[in-house]
Amino acid sequence: MKYLLSVFFLTCSAFASAAGDSNFSLGVGGDHGGLGAKYAINRDEDKYFATLGLLGYSEHAGWTEGYGIGWERLVSSDRHSVGTFLGTVGYDSGGRVSTRYHGISLLYNYYFSGFSDSSWVIGGDIYGGVSEDDDLNFDDELYGIKLKFAYQW
């Protein structure tokens, strides 16, 4: 986990120096890796982002991290966007090992003060993914809907 956090923040720092218009947000939802942080670079009507968060905790397996990358596009005024997210979409902590589900989400977000401005954000996503075990076998599927609530600076 410590390694993932270091890589995430170093990557954000590199992108921040290359991009003039960027946002950082904290929240809960699929495109925040569960409960986590999201760093985005804004280019006109597009937003490219990386995320790192915590999906859950179990007594046997400890914390399960969520991560991924994504893209959003404005579709109406300066407040409505749709996009995609590739990464960790869920987890199951039913046993001694926590199982992550990797997949894709289709996103919708509403920005109360604007796409690139400091703002509260609500939204949701429809996701689908497959499980990964220690032998890299992908066999179990997971589908669902998640709500999102965040604040971006």
PDB file of all heavy atoms in Angstrom, residues 2 5 11 16 21 28 53 58 66 78 83 87 102 104 107 117-118 135 138 140 151:
ATOM      1  N   LYS A   2       1.944   1.240   0.796  1.00  0.00           N
ATOM      2  CA  LYS A   2       2.837   2.383   0.867  1.00  0.00           C
ATOM      3  C   LYS A   2       3.462   2.653  -0.503  1.00  0.00           C
ATOM      4  O   LYS A   2       3.594   3.796  -0.926  1.00  0.00           O
ATOM      5  CB  LYS A   2       3.924   2.120   1.903  1.00  0.00           C
ATOM      6  CG  LYS A   2       4.750   3.332   2.240  1.00  0.00           C
ATOM      7  CD  LYS A   2       5.869   2.982   3.187  1.00  0.00           C
ATOM      8  CE  LYS A   2       5.425   3.171   4.613  1.00  0.00           C
ATOM      9  NZ  LYS A   2       6.543   3.045   5.558  1.00  0.00           N
ATOM     10  N   LEU A   5       0.819   4.293  -2.837  1.00  0.00           N
ATOM     11  CA  LEU A   5       0.633   5.705  -2.512  1.00  0.00           C
ATOM     12  C   LEU A   5       1.783   6.550  -3.050  1.00  0.00           C
ATOM     13  O   LEU A   5       1.565   7.630  -3.609  1.00  0.00           O
ATOM     14  CB  LEU A   5       0.517   5.896  -1.002  1.00  0.00           C
ATOM     15  CG  LEU A   5      -0.814   5.512  -0.381  1.00  0.00           C
ATOM     16  CD1 LEU A   5      -0.709   5.570   1.143  1.00  0.00           C
ATOM     17  CD2 LEU A   5      -1.924   6.392  -0.871  1.00  0.00           C
ATOM     18  N   THR A  11       3.288  10.365  -9.573  1.00  0.00           N
ATOM     19  CA  THR A  11       2.663  10.514 -10.887  1.00  0.00           C
ATOM     20  C   THR A  11       1.848  11.796 -10.939  1.00  0.00           C
ATOM     21  O   THR A  11       1.913  12.545 -11.922  1.00  0.00           O
ATOM     22  CB  THR A  11       1.765   9.301 -11.196  1.00  0.00           C
ATOM     23  OG1 THR A  11       2.557   8.120 -11.125  1.00  0.00           O
ATOM     24  CG2 THR A  11       1.134   9.416 -12.569  1.00  0.00           C
ATOM     25  N   ALA A  16       1.089  17.345 -12.739  1.00  0.00           N
ATOM     26  CA  ALA A  16       0.766  18.706 -12.315  1.00  0.00           C
ATOM     27  C   ALA A  16       1.721  19.711 -12.939  1.00  0.00           C
ATOM     28  O   ALA A  16       1.311  20.802 -13.330  1.00  0.00           O
ATOM     29  CB  ALA A  16       0.797  18.818 -10.802  1.00  0.00           C
ATOM     30  N   ASP A  21      -4.131  23.058 -16.077  1.00  0.00           N
ATOM     31  CA  ASP A  21      -5.453  22.990 -15.474  1.00  0.00           C
ATOM     32  C   ASP A  21      -5.684  21.580 -14.952  1.00  0.00           C
ATOM     33  O   ASP A  21      -5.871  20.644 -15.724  1.00  0.00           O
ATOM     34  CB  ASP A  21      -6.512  23.360 -16.516  1.00  0.00           C
ATOM     35  CG  ASP A  21      -7.889  23.507 -15.907  1.00  0.00           C
ATOM     36  OD1 ASP A  21      -7.996  23.606 -14.672  1.00  0.00           O
ATOM     37  OD2 ASP A  21      -8.865  23.514 -16.667  1.00  0.00           O
ATOM     38  N   VAL A  28     -16.057   9.312  -2.265  1.00  0.00           N
ATOM     39  CA  VAL A  28     -16.401   7.897  -2.238  1.00  0.00           C
ATOM     40  C   VAL A  28     -17.176   7.581  -3.515  1.00  0.00           C
ATOM     41  O   VAL A  28     -18.074   8.313  -3.911  1.00  0.00           O
ATOM     42  CB  VAL A  28     -17.199   7.530  -0.970  1.00  0.00           C
ATOM     43  CG1 VAL A  28     -18.506   8.285  -0.881  1.00  0.00           C
ATOM     44  CG2 VAL A  28     -17.426   6.048  -0.865  1.00  0.00           C
ATOM     45  N   GLY A  53      -7.639   4.431  -3.843  1.00  0.00           N
ATOM     46  CA  GLY A  53      -8.491   4.471  -2.662  1.00  0.00           C
ATOM     47  C   GLY A  53      -8.517   3.147  -1.928  1.00  0.00           C
ATOM     48  O   GLY A  53      -7.756   2.230  -2.224  1.00  0.00           O
ATOM     49  N   SER A  58     -11.119  -6.366   5.781  1.00  0.00           N
ATOM     50  CA  SER A  58     -11.562  -7.591   6.448  1.00  0.00           C
ATOM     51  C   SER A  58     -10.520  -7.956   7.503  1.00  0.00           C
ATOM     52  O   SER A  58      -9.333  -7.657   7.345  1.00  0.00           O
ATOM     53  CB  SER A  58     -11.749  -8.744   5.453  1.00  0.00           C
ATOM     54  OG  SER A  58     -10.514  -9.287   5.073  1.00  0.00           O
ATOM     55  N   GLY A  66      -8.182   0.116  -4.030  1.00  0.00           N
ATOM     56  CA  GLY A  66      -8.812   0.308  -5.326  1.00  0.00           C
ATOM     57  C   GLY A  66      -8.009   1.312  -6.122  1.00  0.00           C
ATOM     58  O   GLY A  66      -7.453   2.259  -5.565  1.00  0.00           O
ATOM     59  N   ASP A  78     -21.778  23.234 -18.363  1.00  0.00           N
ATOM     60  CA  ASP A  78     -20.453  23.043 -17.772  1.00  0.00           C
ATOM     61  C   ASP A  78     -20.544  22.154 -16.543  1.00  0.00           C
ATOM     62  O   ASP A  78     -19.675  22.177 -15.685  1.00  0.00           O
ATOM     63  CB  ASP A  78     -19.860  24.416 -17.397  1.00  0.00           C
ATOM     64  CG  ASP A  78     -18.394  24.326 -16.983  1.00  0.00           C
ATOM     65  OD1 ASP A  78     -17.683  23.468 -17.533  1.00  0.00           O
ATOM     66  OD2 ASP A  78     -17.986  25.102 -16.110  1.00  0.00           O
ATOM     67  N   GLY A  83     -18.314   9.327 -18.896  1.00  0.00           N
ATOM     68  CA  GLY A  83     -16.976   8.830 -19.135  1.00  0.00           C
ATOM     69  C   GLY A  83     -16.836   7.354 -18.853  1.00  0.00           C
ATOM     70  O   GLY A  83     -17.827   6.641 -18.661  1.00  0.00           O
ATOM     71  N   GLY A  87     -10.267  -0.212 -14.048  1.00  0.00           N
ATOM     72  CA  GLY A  87      -9.531  -0.479 -12.818  1.00  0.00           C
ATOM     73  C   GLY A  87     -10.272  -1.426 -11.912  1.00  0.00           C
ATOM     74  O   GLY A  87     -11.033  -2.284 -12.361  1.00  0.00           O
ATOM     75  N   HIS A 102     -11.563  -6.602 -11.293  1.00  0.00           N
ATOM     76  CA  HIS A 102     -11.057  -5.606 -12.235  1.00  0.00           C
ATOM     77  C   HIS A 102     -12.012  -5.539 -13.414  1.00  0.00           C
ATOM     78  O   HIS A 102     -12.480  -6.568 -13.893  1.00  0.00           O
ATOM     79  CB  HIS A 102      -9.655  -5.981 -12.718  1.00  0.00           C
ATOM     80  CG  HIS A 102      -8.671  -6.110 -11.607  1.00  0.00           C
ATOM     81  ND1 HIS A 102      -8.053  -5.021 -11.050  1.00  0.00           N
ATOM     82  CD2 HIS A 102      -8.217  -7.186 -10.935  1.00  0.00           C
ATOM     83  CE1 HIS A 102      -7.254  -5.425 -10.086  1.00  0.00           C
ATOM     84  NE2 HIS A 102      -7.342  -6.742  -9.998  1.00  0.00           N
ATOM     85  N   ILE A 104     -14.511  -2.465 -15.998  1.00  0.00           N
ATOM     86  CA  ILE A 104     -14.802  -1.172 -16.605  1.00  0.00           C
ATOM     87  C   ILE A 104     -16.097  -0.621 -16.025  1.00  0.00           C
ATOM     88  O   ILE A 104     -17.002  -1.375 -15.665  1.00  0.00           O
ATOM     89  CB  ILE A 104     -14.895  -1.295 -18.138  1.00  0.00           C
ATOM     90  CG1 ILE A 104     -15.010   0.066 -18.793  1.00  0.00           C
ATOM     91  CG2 ILE A 104     -16.018  -2.231 -18.546  1.00  0.00           C
ATOM     92  CD1 ILE A 104     -14.807   0.046 -20.292  1.00  0.00           C
ATOM     93  N   LEU A 107     -19.501   6.091 -16.466  1.00  0.00           N
ATOM     94  CA  LEU A 107     -19.697   7.111 -15.440  1.00  0.00           C
ATOM     95  C   LEU A 107     -20.649   8.216 -15.870  1.00  0.00           C
ATOM     96  O   LEU A 107     -20.699   8.572 -17.041  1.00  0.00           O
ATOM     97  CB  LEU A 107     -18.361   7.793 -15.113  1.00  0.00           C
ATOM     98  CG  LEU A 107     -17.160   6.952 -14.794  1.00  0.00           C
ATOM     99  CD1 LEU A 107     -15.915   7.821 -14.758  1.00  0.00           C
ATOM    100  CD2 LEU A 107     -17.359   6.259 -13.471  1.00  0.00           C
ATOM    101  N   ASP A 117     -13.945  23.705 -11.895  1.00  0.00           N
ATOM    102  CA  ASP A 117     -13.899  24.559 -10.710  1.00  0.00           C
ATOM    103  C   ASP A 117     -13.969  23.741  -9.425  1.00  0.00           C
ATOM    104  O   ASP A 117     -14.366  22.580  -9.434  1.00  0.00           O
ATOM    105  CB  ASP A 117     -15.077  25.540 -10.736  1.00  0.00           C
ATOM    106  CG  ASP A 117     -15.056  26.427 -11.967  1.00  0.00           C
ATOM    107  OD1 ASP A 117     -13.950  26.792 -12.410  1.00  0.00           O
ATOM    108  OD2 ASP A 117     -16.139  26.733 -12.488  1.00  0.00           O
ATOM    109  N   SER A 118     -13.616  24.384  -8.303  1.00  0.00           N
ATOM    110  CA  SER A 118     -13.830  23.754  -7.000  1.00  0.00           C
ATOM    111  C   SER A 118     -15.318  23.556  -6.835  1.00  0.00           C
ATOM    112  O   SER A 118     -16.093  24.493  -7.015  1.00  0.00           O
ATOM    113  CB  SER A 118     -13.280  24.632  -5.881  1.00  0.00           C
ATOM    114  OG  SER A 118     -11.879  24.689  -5.949  1.00  0.00           O
ATOM    115  N   ASP A 135      -3.403 -17.175  -8.868  1.00  0.00           N
ATOM    116  CA  ASP A 135      -2.887 -17.832 -10.070  1.00  0.00           C
ATOM    117  C   ASP A 135      -3.275 -17.092 -11.349  1.00  0.00           C
ATOM    118  O   ASP A 135      -3.133 -17.614 -12.445  1.00  0.00           O
ATOM    119  CB  ASP A 135      -3.402 -19.266 -10.151  1.00  0.00           C
ATOM    120  CG  ASP A 135      -2.921 -20.109  -8.989  1.00  0.00           C
ATOM    121  OD1 ASP A 135      -1.766 -19.889  -8.545  1.00  0.00           O
ATOM    122  OD2 ASP A 135      -3.685 -20.961  -8.513  1.00  0.00           O
ATOM    123  N   PHE A 138      -9.180 -15.766 -14.066  1.00  0.00           N
ATOM    124  CA  PHE A 138     -10.301 -14.838 -14.073  1.00  0.00           C
ATOM    125  C   PHE A 138     -11.570 -15.650 -14.269  1.00  0.00           C
ATOM    126  O   PHE A 138     -11.848 -16.113 -15.366  1.00  0.00           O
ATOM    127  CB  PHE A 138     -10.134 -13.801 -15.187  1.00  0.00           C
ATOM    128  CG  PHE A 138      -8.887 -12.976 -15.037  1.00  0.00           C
ATOM    129  CD1 PHE A 138      -7.739 -13.276 -15.737  1.00  0.00           C
ATOM    130  CD2 PHE A 138      -8.863 -11.913 -14.160  1.00  0.00           C
ATOM    131  CE1 PHE A 138      -6.592 -12.519 -15.589  1.00  0.00           C
ATOM    132  CE2 PHE A 138      -7.726 -11.151 -13.995  1.00  0.00           C
ATOM    133  CZ  PHE A 138      -6.588 -11.455 -14.708  1.00  0.00           C
ATOM    134  N   ASP A 140     -14.775 -15.395 -11.750  1.00  0.00           N
ATOM    135  CA  ASP A 140     -15.998 -14.913 -11.122  1.00  0.00           C
ATOM    136  C   ASP A 140     -16.321 -13.515 -11.641  1.00  0.00           C
ATOM    137  O   ASP A 140     -15.438 -12.681 -11.788  1.00  0.00           O
ATOM    138  CB  ASP A 140     -15.805 -14.877  -9.604  1.00  0.00           C
ATOM    139  CG  ASP A 140     -17.103 -14.713  -8.857  1.00  0.00           C
ATOM    140  OD1 ASP A 140     -18.171 -14.968  -9.449  1.00  0.00           O
ATOM    141  OD2 ASP A 140     -17.052 -14.326  -7.686  1.00  0.00           O
ATOM    142  N   TYR A 151     -15.717  15.975  -3.366  1.00  0.00           N
ATOM    143  CA  TYR A 151     -15.420  17.401  -3.493  1.00  0.00           C
ATOM    144  C   TYR A 151     -14.115  17.544  -4.236  1.00  0.00           C
ATOM    145  O   TYR A 151     -13.133  16.865  -3.916  1.00  0.00           O
ATOM    146  CB  TYR A 151     -15.317  18.097  -2.135  1.00  0.00           C
ATOM    147  CG  TYR A 151     -15.244  19.593  -2.294  1.00  0.00           C
ATOM    148  CD1 TYR A 151     -16.409  20.334  -2.427  1.00  0.00           C
ATOM    149  CD2 TYR A 151     -14.021  20.244  -2.356  1.00  0.00           C
ATOM    150  CE1 TYR A 151     -16.357  21.709  -2.615  1.00  0.00           C
ATOM    151  CE2 TYR A 151     -13.957  21.618  -2.546  1.00  0.00           C
ATOM    152  CZ  TYR A 151     -15.128  22.340  -2.672  1.00  0.00           C
ATOM    153  OH  TYR A 151     -15.075  23.697  -2.881  1.00  0.00           O
TER     154      TYR A 151
END
